[in-house]
């Protein structure tokens, strides 16, 4: 450690980084001190509310971030269109829910009952299947059409293709479904704005059903993915391809099919996150994938890109930073996107390998 | 035989899906309207009743023709009946998909279902036109027939082209002609003559001077936008095209330039009222400083990380400009109005003067970019773009070169921002969304990375054409996105790729000369 420090050369870039770090630390310390010992605008109930929001949103970020990490781990490219993959999943879920709420399933007690409220569990399962399936299909086609022909091309080429695909998908959705905001039709048992009331510091904080539902589901999906990657044959071949494509091919792994399956799995996770987004937040339009996509990428970088537990942790952390950050720093809530981007820049300046990522080898970097 | 059927099937499926997609986004109507404009048999889109059904049939014929033509791609050797079968398959498959699309939408709309709740472009009147004002079943059959017949025609034409020896001869002849024209030393020598170049230069200057006077203000507006985007493209070209750093937040420098100019010259909110030429200089300085601020800590990042960080930076700048935090400085979401305009001999600039100024700036910028490209720094950039490690090993200070590229690019953007704010007399945060960065990037890439004529061409194609084809306004971004993907697959080097400086082998006499010079 000391030896390392002694060998450190003070280049202008390093000095600049240290200066930036110092400024950031002083600023953070000052703002947090002010919030903690200042006027005390927020009571414990408010903090609790921020915490809940952060965890729920963080779960969705984590699901999307896993998609970035999986693809990056294998192809070393940023799948810029991943947010749009999620957006199409949100649309698919919306249409399925609309259809279920239009199908009548009258019972003796209530003749105007719809299928959605008569069998909410079945309806929700089918909605998630539709959303995840659509996103998986979009991811699969995206790889096949926009990325596969470019394998082996210089690095910028697939990235630009991904940007193009992202613009295309976003505008296709706008032209097909219109630019207006739409509202998810949740079943009555999972209605937005209803939930358990939990007492915190003398006041009651609502723990919404949709929030709990999304959080639990995202944790379940992450656990499932983790088991899949660690235990199944597909997971093993995915890890092998990520390690070394040529060696994996020599061992009899069909690299192309593994890459396709990776995109399908990323799509499933992103589509589920998209449906959750709709169920939890209600309103959405064709821009719904853009910011979550970029933030999930931030989360993936924060955790160490290419690293699955890193993406999960990064997603959760980013969700928390975003909801607690403005209050902690005493900033406006309209600046919460700035916080996410600032975190991204700071992580990349100081620890490009992320919190859990190993230092990438020269070839990968 | 098998490949022909397979290709026919895949081409049919692709074109069938493309047709249904175009139908659902309402493009078939717009397309028939445009063909109507072209052929002169309609008064315009607003007047559906006068829009002749023939235009629609023409669209179908074109689509069907391509279905068949592409189905026979890459099968030069096949017999006529194989190509016939391929075309038939393609036509039938795409026709059935089109049949389904038309029949479904038509039946639903006839039964009074409001499709527009979910698919806003499915206007009942438009659908009626798409059905030729008849029943869904009959209309769908017409689509089927058209697709099949024209797909057959397409494959037949492709077949004819592939067997006809005269065609091959003609192509070969053309190629030979072009290459001999290129090689002919007379023409090349002509361009080396300084007097010829002078005359050409003078003619160009005169034309450029009189064009804005002749065009009228509408064209001046469009071409002014194109010129501003040429400036932006030239700047980003230094960063992306020369030095290979993918910067997605280029709009940040544009915004800083525009806001610096606006805040220094507008009466609200500060009322500084600085001289305009000084303010333009200040814009360049501030955006360069922004570039320095951003570039110093992050420029040693790798390509795609750099892309995302700069994208984030662009968004941060926009959010900050419109936030309450800086509203006292930047006027928040309202933007700055009454931005100062240049004055020449006591008169405020007219659109013609602006156009002249912009043309002058573009020419100067082109000159600077050209000189930079051929300089030592420019060669260092190219080396970094090709392989950073090797460039470093050969003694290029990569960090400094990359910073320099970013600063120069930012300076161009600052100037373009000042011009933009001054010409519009207004600047607001919504002028600087991420799409501006993407547009400029598209110009650089579609035109050809590192190629100066490519940038100008790209700006004309991507900014000029959509302004002229107003009907396509809604579809512009869709086409952009598809174009980027297709470009990367088919022609990653761009429309007008940058030529490489070739190593000229010195003649034997010259080598001899050099040798004798060294000897004593």
């Amino acid at each position: 450690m000391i030896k390392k420090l002694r060998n450190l050369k003070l280049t202008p870039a390093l000095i600049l980084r240290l200066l930036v770090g110092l400024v950031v630390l002083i600023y953070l310390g000052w703002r947090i001190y002010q919030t903690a010992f200042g006027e005390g605008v927020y009571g414990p109930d408010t903090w609790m509310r921020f915490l809940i929001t952060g965890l729920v949103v963080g779960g969705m970020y984590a699901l999307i971030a896993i998609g970035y990490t999986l693809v990056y781990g294998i192809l070393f490219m940023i799948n810029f269109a991943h947010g749009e993959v999620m957006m199409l999943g949100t649309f698919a879920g919306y249409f399925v829910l609309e259809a279920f709420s239009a199908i009548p399933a009258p019972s003796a007690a209530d003749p105007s009952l719809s299928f959605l409220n008569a069998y909410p569990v079945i309806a929700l399962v089918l909605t998630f299947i539709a959303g995840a399936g659509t996103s998986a299909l979009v991811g699969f086609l995206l790889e096949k059409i926009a990325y596969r022909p470019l394998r082996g091309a210089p690095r910028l080429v697939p990235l630009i293709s991904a940007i193009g695909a992202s613009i295309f998908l976003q505008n296709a959705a706008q032209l097909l479904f219109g630019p207006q905001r739409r509202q998810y039709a949740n079943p009555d048992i999972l209605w937005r704005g209803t939930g358990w009331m939990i007492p915190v510091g003398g006041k009651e904080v609502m723990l919404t059903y949709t929030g709990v539902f999304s959080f639990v589901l995202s944790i379940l999906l992450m656990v499932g993915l983790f088991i899949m990657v660690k235990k199944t044959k597909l997971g093993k071949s995915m890890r092998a391809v990520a390690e070394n494509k040529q060696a994996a091919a020599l061992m009899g792994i069909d690299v192309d099919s593994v890459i396709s399956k990776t995109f399908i799995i990323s799509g499933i996770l992103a589509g589920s996150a998209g449906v959750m987004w709709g169920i939890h937040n209600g309103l959405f339009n064709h821009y719904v994938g853009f910011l979550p996509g970029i933030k999930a990428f931030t989360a993936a970088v924060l955790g160490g890109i290419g690293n699955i537990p890193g993406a999960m942790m990064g997603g959760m952390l980013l969700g928390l930073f975003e909801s607690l950050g403005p209050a902690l720093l005493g900033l406006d809530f309209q600046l919460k996107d700035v916080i996410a981007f600032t975190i991204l820049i700071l992580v990349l300046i100081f620890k490009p390998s992320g919190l859990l990522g190993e230092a990438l080898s020269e070839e990968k970097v | 035989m098998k490949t022909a059927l397979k290709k026919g099937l895949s081409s049919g499926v692709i074109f069938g899906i493309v047709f249904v997609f175009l139908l659902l986004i309402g493009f078939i109507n717009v397309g028939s309207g445009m063909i109507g404009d072209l052929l002169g048999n309609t008064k315009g889109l607003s007047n559906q009743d006068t829009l002749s059904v023939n235009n629609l049939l023409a669209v179908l014929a074109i689509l069907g023709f391509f279905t068949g033509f592409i189905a026979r791609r890459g099968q030069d050797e096949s017999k006529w009946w194989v190509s016939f079968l391929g075309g038939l398959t393609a036509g039938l498959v795409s026709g059935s998909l089109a049949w389904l699309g038309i029949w479904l939408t038509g039946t639903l709309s006839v039964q009074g279902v409001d499709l527009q709740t979910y698919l806003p472009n499915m206007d009942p009147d438009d659908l009626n036109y798409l059905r030729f004002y008849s029943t869904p079943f009959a209309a769908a059959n017409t689509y089927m027939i058209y697709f099949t017949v024209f797909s057959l025609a397409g494959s037949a034409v492709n077949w004819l082209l592939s067997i006809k020896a005269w065609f091959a001869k003609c192509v070969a002849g053309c190629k030979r002609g072009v290459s001999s024209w290129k090689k002919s030393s007379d023409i090349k020598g002509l361009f080396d003559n300084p007097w010829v170049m002078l005359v050409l230069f003078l003619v160009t200057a005169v034309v450029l001077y009189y064009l804005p006077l002749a065009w009228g203000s509408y064209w001046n507006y469009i071409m002014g936008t194109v010129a501003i985007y040429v400036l932006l493209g030239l700047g980003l070209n230094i960063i992306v095209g020369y030095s290979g750093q993918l910067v997605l937040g280029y709009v940040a420098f544009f915004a800083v330039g525009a806001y610096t100019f606006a805040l220094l010259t507008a009466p609200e909110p500060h009322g500084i009222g600085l001289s305009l030429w000084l303010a333009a200089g200040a814009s360049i300085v501030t955006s360069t400083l922004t570039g320095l601020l951003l570039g110093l800590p992050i420029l040693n990042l790798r390509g795609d990380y750099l892309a995302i960080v700069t994208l984030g930076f662009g968004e941060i700048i926009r959010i900050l400009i419109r936030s309450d935090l800086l509203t006292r400085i930047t006027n928040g979401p309202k933007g700055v109005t009454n931005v100062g305009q240049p004055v020449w001999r006591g008169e405020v600039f007219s659109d013609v003067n602006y156009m002249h100024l912009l043309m002058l700036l573009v020419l100067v910028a082109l000159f600077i970019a050209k000189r930079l490209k051929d300089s030592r720094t420019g060669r260092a950039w190219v080396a970094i773009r090709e392989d950073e490690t090797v460039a470093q090993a050969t003694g290029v200070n990569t960090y400094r070169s990359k910073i320099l590229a970013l600063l120069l690019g930012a300076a161009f953007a600052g100037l373009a921002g000042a011009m933009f704010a001054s010409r519009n007399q207004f600047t607001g945060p919504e002028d600087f969304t991420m799409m501006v960065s993407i547009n400029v990037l598209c110009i650089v890439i579609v035109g050809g990375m590192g190629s100066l004529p490519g940038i100008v061409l790209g700006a004309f194609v991507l900014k000029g054409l959509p302004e002229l084809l107003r009907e396509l306004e809604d579809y512009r971004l869709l086409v952009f996105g598809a174009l980027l993907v297709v470009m990367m697959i088919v022609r990653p080097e761009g429309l007008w790729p940058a030529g490489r400086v070739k190593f000229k082998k010195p003649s034997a006499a010259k080598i001899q000369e050099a040798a004798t010079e060294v000897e004593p």
Side-chain angles (χ1 to χ4, degrees):
Chain A
M1 180 76 191
I2 293 171
K3 210 173 178 185
K4 235 182 181 175
L5 276 181
R6 205 175 290 150
N7 288 340
L8 214 60
K9 259 208 312 208
L10 276 182
T11 56
L14 187 71
I15 294 172
L16 201 93
R17 279 191 208 184
L18 288 177
L19 269 179
V20 171
L22 206 67
V23 169
V24 170
L25 277 182
I26 290 172
Y27 176 76
L28 282 181
W30 174 60
R31 284 329 286 238
I32 292 174
Y33 173 82
Q34 268 202 336
T35 328
F37 301 100
E39 292 135 40
V41 197
Y42 302 113
D45 55 320
T46 318
W47 287 113
M48 190 70 196
R49 208 171 294 141
F50 288 149
L51 192 71
I52 294 171
T53 316
L55 283 175
V56 173
V57 177
M60 298 180 208
Y61 285 164
L63 284 183
I64 308 169
I66 290 170
Y68 279 107
T69 271
L70 284 177
V71 169
Y72 195 91
I74 289 185
L75 286 179
F76 307 122
M77 67 164 281
I78 297 171
N79 182 7
F80 205 86
H82 197 54
E84 268 52 62
V85 172
M86 169 208 154
M87 176 266 293
L88 289 170
T90 316
F91 269 103
Y94 165 79
F95 286 122
V96 172
L97 281 179
E98 286 285 300
F100 282 142
S101 58
I103 298 172
S107 65
D110 183 0
S112 65
L113 202 62
S114 67
F115 183 86
L116 184 65
N117 286 320
Y119 309 101
V121 178
I122 301 175
L124 279 176
V125 168
L126 288 177
T127 306
F128 271 92
I129 289 178
T134 308
S135 291
L137 181 72
V138 173
F140 172 76
L141 289 177
L142 186 70
E143 193 268 335
K144 194 131 191 170
I145 296 170
Y147 304 153
R148 185 165 295 181
L150 304 174
R151 211 151 296 153
R155 203 139 205 174
L156 282 188
V157 172
L159 183 64
I160 291 163
S161 176
I163 293 172
S166 163
I167 299 173
F168 178 83
L169 290 175
Q170 206 179 75
N171 285 282
Q174 183 194 351
L175 287 168
L176 276 176
F177 309 125
Q180 73 273 34
R181 283 165 163 253
R182 295 166 179 277
Q183 191 163 24
Y184 251 61
N186 289 12
D188 286 343
I189 56 159
L190 204 64
W191 194 246
R192 283 179 294 277
T194 55
W196 296 285
M197 302 304 269
I198 48 170
V200 176
K203 283 182 188 161
E204 289 205 315
V205 174
M206 185 189 281
L207 192 58
T208 55
Y209 296 137
T210 53
V212 174
F213 173 75
S214 307
F215 185 72
V216 171
L217 192 63
S218 50
I219 296 289
L220 284 180
L221 280 170
M222 282 188 251
V223 170
L225 176 90
F226 204 71
I227 293 173
M228 203 272 317
V229 170
K230 286 281 173 217
K231 302 280 180 201
T232 64
K233 208 161 181 181
L234 174 62
K236 210 177 193 175
S237 49
M238 275 165 69
R239 279 181 287 145
V241 172
E243 196 68 37
N244 187 333
K245 274 200 213 61
Q246 279 173 339
L250 288 175
M251 297 300 122
I253 295 171
D254 184 351
V255 175
D256 275 344
S257 112
V258 169
I259 292 175
S260 278
K261 282 172 189 157
T262 309
F263 271 86
I264 290 175
I265 291 167
S266 317
I268 289 175
L269 295 178
S272 313
V275 177
M276 278 178 216
W277 190 279
I279 285 181
H280 182 65
N281 294 338
L283 288 172
F284 75 101
N285 65 358
H286 59 282
Y287 285 127
V288 70
F290 177 65
L291 270 184
I294 292 200
K295 285 180 187 162
F297 175 77
T298 306
V301 172
L302 183 65
I305 196 149
N307 183 316
I308 295 171
M312 299 174 184
M313 200 185 81
M316 288 291 175
L317 277 180
L318 191 75
L320 286 176
F321 283 149
E322 215 183 74
S323 67
L324 294 174
L328 265 181
L329 301 178
L331 294 172
D332 275 334
F333 280 90
Q334 55 179 215
L335 292 179
K336 75 176 186 180
D337 298 339
V338 172
I339 289 183
F341 289 129
T342 313
I343 288 174
L344 175 70
I345 295 181
L346 290 179
V347 169
L348 285 176
I349 293 176
F350 292 104
K351 200 167 183 328
S353 55
L355 296 177
L356 294 188
E358 76 273 46
L360 293 172
S361 66
E362 259 308 295
E363 183 214 337
K364 293 186 184 178
V365 169
Chain B
M1 170 83 190
K2 219 174 171 185
T3 46
L5 287 183
K6 225 173 161 182
K7 288 225 169 171
L9 186 69
S10 73
S11 164
V13 169
I14 290 171
F15 273 87
I17 290 175
V18 166
F19 172 78
V20 173
F21 178 68
L22 293 182
L23 174 75
L24 290 182
I25 64 175
F27 187 77
I28 299 291
N29 279 39
V30 177
S32 13
M34 285 174 66
I35 285 196
D37 284 347
L38 214 64
L39 301 178
N41 51 5
T42 176
K43 293 190 185 78
L45 267 184
S46 55
N47 211 343
Q48 291 289 347
D49 287 344
T50 61
L51 190 59
S52 158
V53 169
N54 292 339
N55 302 323
L56 179 55
L57 291 178
V59 172
L60 295 186
I62 293 169
L63 272 174
F65 186 85
F66 272 104
T67 315
F69 195 84
I70 289 187
R72 239 196 63 82
R73 198 178 30 168
Q75 309 165 54
D76 288 343
E77 303 295 313
S78 61
K79 293 261 185 325
W80 69 269
W81 55 272
V82 175
S83 109
F84 179 83
L85 274 180
L88 190 68
T89 326
L92 283 177
V93 171
S94 56
S96 344
L97 283 170
W99 192 93
L100 264 179
I102 289 292
W103 185 76
L104 269 177
T105 51
T107 314
L108 285 175
S109 133
V110 165
Q111 285 176 355
V113 180
D114 185 13
L115 289 170
Q116 277 184 298
T117 328
Y118 297 116
L119 300 166
N121 278 313
M122 295 277 90
D123 185 63
D125 290 340
D126 289 357
L127 278 176
N128 205 3
Y129 169 70
L130 285 173
R131 288 199 311 273
F132 313 114
Y133 310 106
S134 72
T135 63
F137 188 72
N141 287 339
T142 316
Y143 276 76
M144 183 87 173
I145 292 166
Y146 255 80
F147 263 94
T148 317
V149 168
F150 277 92
S151 167
L152 280 177
S155 65
V157 168
N158 196 333
W159 182 73
L160 278 176
L161 290 183
S162 72
I163 58 153
K164 280 292 180 192
W166 57 265
F167 183 72
K169 245 185 208 166
C170 177
V171 169
C174 280
K175 271 185 186 163
R176 211 174 314 130
V178 169
S179 63
S180 72
W181 181 76
K182 263 186 186 166
K183 269 184 197 155
S184 93
S185 50
D186 294 343
I187 293 169
K188 240 187 190 169
L190 207 59
F191 282 108
D192 285 339
N193 188 333
W195 288 106
V196 172
M197 286 311 283
L198 189 68
V199 169
L200 267 181
F201 183 78
L202 282 179
V203 168
T204 323
V206 169
V207 168
L208 282 184
Y209 180 78
Y210 280 106
L211 264 183
L213 296 172
W215 266 344
S217 57
Y218 176 66
W219 273 84
N220 275 333
Y221 179 77
I222 292 176
M223 287 300 146
T225 312
V226 171
I228 286 173
Y229 271 83
V230 171
L231 277 181
L232 285 173
L234 287 173
L236 190 65
N237 183 46
I238 294 177
I239 307 175
V240 180
Y242 290 172
S243 77
Q245 309 299 308
L246 187 59
V247 167
L248 284 185
Y250 194 58
V251 69
F253 309 128
F254 188 46
V256 168
Y259 262 90
T260 310
F261 186 86
L263 293 174
L264 285 178
T265 58
E268 292 269 324
H270 301 303
I272 296 174
L274 198 68
S275 147
L276 299 187
W277 309 108
L278 277 180
S283 297
I284 297 176
V285 170
T286 46
S287 49
T288 314
L289 281 180
T290 318
L292 193 69
L293 203 75
L294 175 71
L296 280 181
I298 64 159
L299 259 189
N300 45 5
L301 289 176
R302 219 255 331 281
D304 23 16
Y305 279 166
L306 188 73
I308 295 285
V309 170
T310 48
L311 184 139
F313 181 72
E315 286 290 291
I316 287 180
I317 294 279
R318 189 177 62 89
I319 297 172
L320 281 180
I321 284 177
R322 62 168 302 160
S323 70
D324 296 342
L325 196 69
L326 295 181
T327 195
R328 255 178 304 165
I329 304 174
T330 63
N331 233 4
K334 273 184 301 186
V336 186
T337 46
N338 290 327
V339 177
Q341 288 182 289
V343 179
W344 181 254
R345 290 189 190 153
E347 272 182 59
V348 174
F349 261 36
S350 65
D351 54 334
V352 176
N353 297 133
Y354 261 116
M355 201 58 225
H356 282 147
L357 179 62
L358 281 169
M359 278 176 174
L360 192 70
L361 288 176
V362 164
L363 286 179
V364 171
L366 273 171
F367 178 74
I368 294 175
K370 172 83 180 132
R371 296 299 292 168
L372 277 173
K373 188 183 183 181
D374 296 339
S375 70
R376 190 185 165 84
T377 325
R379 292 199 303 274
W381 285 334
V382 173
I384 291 172
R385 183 183 72 195
E386 295 301 321
D387 194 320
E388 204 171 326
T389 320
V390 173
Q392 205 160 21
T394 47
V396 174
N397 187 339
T398 54
Y399 190 65
R400 194 178 292 167
S401 297
K402 287 197 283 187
I403 293 265
L404 187 64
L406 189 69
L407 294 189
L408 285 169
F412 275 70
L415 181 64
M419 285 295 114
F420 183 72
S422 168
R423 198 186 60 136
N424 290 357
Q425 302 177 38
F426 168 79
T427 181
E430 296 317 312
D431 288 340
F432 306 107
T433 55
M434 198 192 76
M435 279 324 295
V436 178
S437 306
I438 301 280
N439 280 350
V440 180
L441 185 71
C442 284
I443 287 173
V444 172
I445 286 160
V446 170
M449 278 213 269
S451 145
L452 297 178
I455 307 287
V456 180
L457 182 70
F460 272 102
V461 170
L462 293 180
K463 283 314 282 190
L465 277 188
E467 295 279 346
L468 297 179
L469 302 173
R470 275 276 158 204
E471 288 127 339
L472 290 180
E473 177 69 24
D474 297 343
Y475 303 94
R476 196 182 65 194
L477 285 172
L478 187 81
V479 177
F480 260 29
L483 195 65
L484 274 188
V485 177
V486 172
M487 263 327 249
M488 285 303 108
I489 294 171
V490 181
R491 206 178 156 82
E493 71 272 22
L495 288 177
W496 191 326
R500 293 228 161 193
V501 180
K502 292 218 175 70
F503 173 70
K504 276 188 202 141
K505 215 172 176 183
S507 61
K510 263 200 176 156
I511 295 175
Q512 197 67 40
E513 206 175 290
T516 47
E517 264 175 28
V518 173
E519 243 161 64

